[in-house]
């Protein structure tokens, strides 16, 4: 059964700094998702990574996938306060069932 | 383009009651899956429907059930509510079950007293 681990669980970073969130998964996953969740809100889709070496970027966020290492990363460049949220990665073991990581709560301070 | 619509958004029930939650997918999406989110257990998969058939089921007791209608709308039902069922219930829809992006609704926040 697929297990997904994220780290760190909590990340406090200053505006303008760079940082990376790591997502390790235990078995083969057809694809890897990244979602953002604001407090009390639903999940906003950020990226879907479909193949080894896939890299996607949107604004200050860049996600990559290494299927051989079973690792995905979400890199934050020059963080701004608006990026404060909880970020989840999720993999698919079978069918379209998503197995989520525990989430990384990102707090960007001035 | 309308998003995923979940109703009701908030509800309060007492132990022993039952509840039905509804999810209307984005037009053209035939896959609907349900997730439970709690502070302690995080996001957990409940079940997935595609073309009115349940294709996958998570590790939840039989009190949790669901169905999908011919128009792809889905409902989930929880019977004999327990305090631990208090959670945010999210549905996600996609064009096909096994490819591409999944879009989540705003969720139904259930409080069991």
């Amino acid at each position: 059964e697929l297990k997904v681990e994220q780290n760190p669980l909590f990340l406090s970073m200053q505006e303008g700094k760079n940082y990376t969130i790591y997502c390790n998964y235990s078995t083969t996953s057809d694809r890897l998702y990244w979602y953002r969740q604001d407090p009390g809100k639903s999940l906003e889709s950020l990226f879907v990574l479909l193949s080894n070496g896939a890299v996607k970027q949107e604004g200050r966020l860049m996600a990559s996938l290494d299927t051989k290492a079973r690792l995905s990363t979400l890199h934050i460049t020059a963080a701004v306060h608006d990026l404060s949220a909880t970020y989840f990665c999720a993999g698919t073991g079978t069918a379209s069932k998503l197995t989520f990581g525990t989430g990384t709560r990102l707090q960007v301070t001035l | 383009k309308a998003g995923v619509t979940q109703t009701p958004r908030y509800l309060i029930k007492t132990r022993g009651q039952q509840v039905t939650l509804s999810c209307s997918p984005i037009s053209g999406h035939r896959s609907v899956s349900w997730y439970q989110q709690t502070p302690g257990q995080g996001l957990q998969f409940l079940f997935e429907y595609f073309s009115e058939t349940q294709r996958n089921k998570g590790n939840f007791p039989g009190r949790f059930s669901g169905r999908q209608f011919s128009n792809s709308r889905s409902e989930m039902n929880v019977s004999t509510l327990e305090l631990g069922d208090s959670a945010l219930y999210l549905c996600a829809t996609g064009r096909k079950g096994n490819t591409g992006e999944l879009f989540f609704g705003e969720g139904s926040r259930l409080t069991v007293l």
Side-chain angles (χ1 to χ4, degrees):
Chain A
E1 186 175 317
L2 177 67
K3 294 189 189 313
V4 178
E5 290 185 359
Q6 268 181 259
N7 66 83
L9 297 183
F10 179 73
L11 177 56
S12 180
M13 54 191 297
Q14 288 183 315
E15 276 200 336
K17 299 290 187 183
N18 304 330
Y19 209 82
T20 300
I21 299 170
Y22 297 89
C23 176
N24 291 90
Y25 54 98
S26 59
T27 64
T28 301
S29 179
D30 287 343
R31 63 198 57 79
L32 201 293
Y33 295 80
W34 284 96
Y35 286 93
R36 166 183 172 147
Q37 187 176 40
D38 292 293
K41 301 290 187 181
S42 185
L43 297 171
E44 176 191 350
S45 178
L46 295 174
F47 303 106
V48 182
L49 303 169
L50 299 176
S51 60
N52 187 44
V55 176
K56 290 194 174 180
Q57 182 163 6
E58 181 73 35
R60 300 175 188 274
L61 301 177
M62 182 174 72
S64 65
L65 179 63
D66 181 344
T67 57
K68 293 178 182 176
R70 294 179 184 159
L71 170 68
S72 180
T73 60
L74 181 66
H75 186 72
I76 303 151
T77 302
V80 293
H81 181 71
D82 284 352
L83 290 179
S84 297
T86 299
Y87 293 85
F88 292 93
C89 65
T92 56
T94 58
S96 63
K97 168 187 173 181
L98 293 182
T99 300
F100 284 88
T102 51
T104 296
R105 188 170 146 229
L106 173 65
Q107 185 177 60
V108 181
T109 58
L110 296 172
Chain B
K1 181 175 177 179
V4 179
T5 304
Q6 288 189 248
T7 57
R9 292 289 313 280
Y10 303 91
L11 63 167
I12 299 173
K13 295 283 187 179
T14 56
R15 279 180 298 175
Q17 287 187 309
Q18 71 152 14
V19 66
T20 299
L21 309 177
S22 178
C23 173
S24 294
I26 293 170
S27 178
H29 287 194
R30 294 165 63 190
S31 166
V32 177
S33 49
W34 289 88
Y35 294 83
Q36 181 197 64
Q37 186 177 28
T38 59
Q41 299 298 317
L43 282 151
Q44 293 186 287
F45 172 78
L46 281 156
F47 23 65
E48 186 225 351
Y49 289 88
F50 184 81
S51 293
E52 302 178 67
T53 301
Q54 187 182 87
R55 296 205 305 183
N56 212 340
K57 190 177 190 304
N59 298 321
F60 279 81
R63 300 185 297 108
F64 291 81
S65 62
R67 58 179 176 168
Q68 186 180 33
F69 301 96
S70 59
N71 62 357
S72 295
R73 188 177 71 87
S74 177
E75 289 181 347
M76 67 163 282
N77 184 77
V78 188
S79 62
T80 321
L81 284 166
E82 301 176 359
L83 295 179
D85 297 333
S86 295
L88 180 66
Y89 291 88
L90 294 162
C91 83
T93 77
R95 283 197 178 277
K96 288 180 73 173
N98 208 22
T99 59
E101 208 165 356
L102 294 177
F103 297 88
F104 281 81
E106 291 294 316
S108 293
R109 185 167 295 281
L110 170 65
T111 301
V112 182
L113 302 176

